[in-house]
Amino acid sequence: ASNDGVAFGVITSGTISCITDRFETRTFKFDNTIDFQWYEINFTNACDDTGGAGIPSMQIAEVQLYGSVLSTNDLELGTQFSLYPNPTQNGLTIQYNGNDPLTDVIVFDISGKSVMTLDISAFNESQRFDVTRLVAGVYFVKLETASGITVKRFIKN
């Protein structure tokens, strides 16, 4: 983990057993009491389920990092926040009907890099934002209030 994207420290390490089935979902948990801006995951060993007769390989379709268990405020905030249309090509409408005013709305790319900070000074329940300058891909919108933070994903075509 890192806060500068350059110097990374080890949070945890271990061995992941090989599996031969496709479309398998597995969850691994580790304790981390410090918030970091960047995380790097290193998969170092390929699997050879034949015991040495085959070609070692590795196939990883998706890796997701989740924070700690959500508080009641985080769950409530997530239900008060929506994005549409999703997927989108040009514009994204953010709708928020919570009681606390928004303090930050930031768009991150798939690598966790902040790509847009949205101007919410005139926000009133919903606002459309231009996303035409973003390249096609998966993005995350982080919405923050004084009482919680939630993140939603959208796809830019």
Side-chain angles (χ1 to χ4, degrees):
S2 171
N3 280 320
D4 64 8
V6 176
F8 284 84
V10 175
I11 296 173
T12 190
S13 65
T15 303
I16 298 173
S17 60
C18 292
I19 57 171
T20 58
D21 295 335
R22 295 189 65 179
F23 308 110
E24 182 81 20
T25 299
R26 297 193 287 172
T27 302
F28 303 95
K29 295 181 180 190
F30 59 91
D31 290 329
N32 178 30
T33 58
I34 301 171
D35 290 334
F36 290 99
Q37 193 170 21
W38 302 91
Y39 291 89
E40 183 177 79
I41 301 173
N42 295 318
F43 296 96
T44 57
N45 295 339
C47 293
D48 180 4
D49 59 346
T50 66
I55 299 172
S57 62
M58 181 182 306
Q59 181 179 10
I60 300 168
E62 184 175 345
V63 175
Q64 296 178 354
L65 294 178
Y66 296 99
S68 60
V69 176
L70 296 174
S71 72
T72 304
N73 288 342
D74 292 331
L75 292 171
E76 188 175 298
L77 185 59
T79 62
Q80 299 169 349
F81 171 40
S82 62
L83 304 173
Y84 59 89
N86 192 7
T88 186
Q89 289 183 345
N90 302 317
L92 181 69
T93 297
I94 296 175
Q95 184 170 353
Y96 169 68
N97 60 1
N99 295 326
D100 290 337
L102 296 177
T103 56
D104 249 338
V105 178
I106 302 172
V107 178
F108 295 90
D109 67 13
I110 194 77
S111 72
K113 178 182 172 192
S114 172
V115 295
M116 289 177 74
T117 299
L118 305 179
D119 180 7
I120 55 171
S121 58
F123 194 92
N124 185 17
E125 292 189 22
S126 72
Q127 189 171 337
R128 185 171 169 87
F129 296 96
D130 182 12
V131 294
T132 54
R133 72 175 186 86
L134 298 177
V135 298
V138 176
Y139 293 89
F140 299 92
V141 176
K142 179 180 91 169
L143 182 133
E144 187 171 347
T145 70
S147 64
I149 296 173
T150 192
V151 177
K152 299 235 182 204
R153 179 179 71 165
F154 77 93
I155 297 170
K156 164 72 166 63
N157 290 336

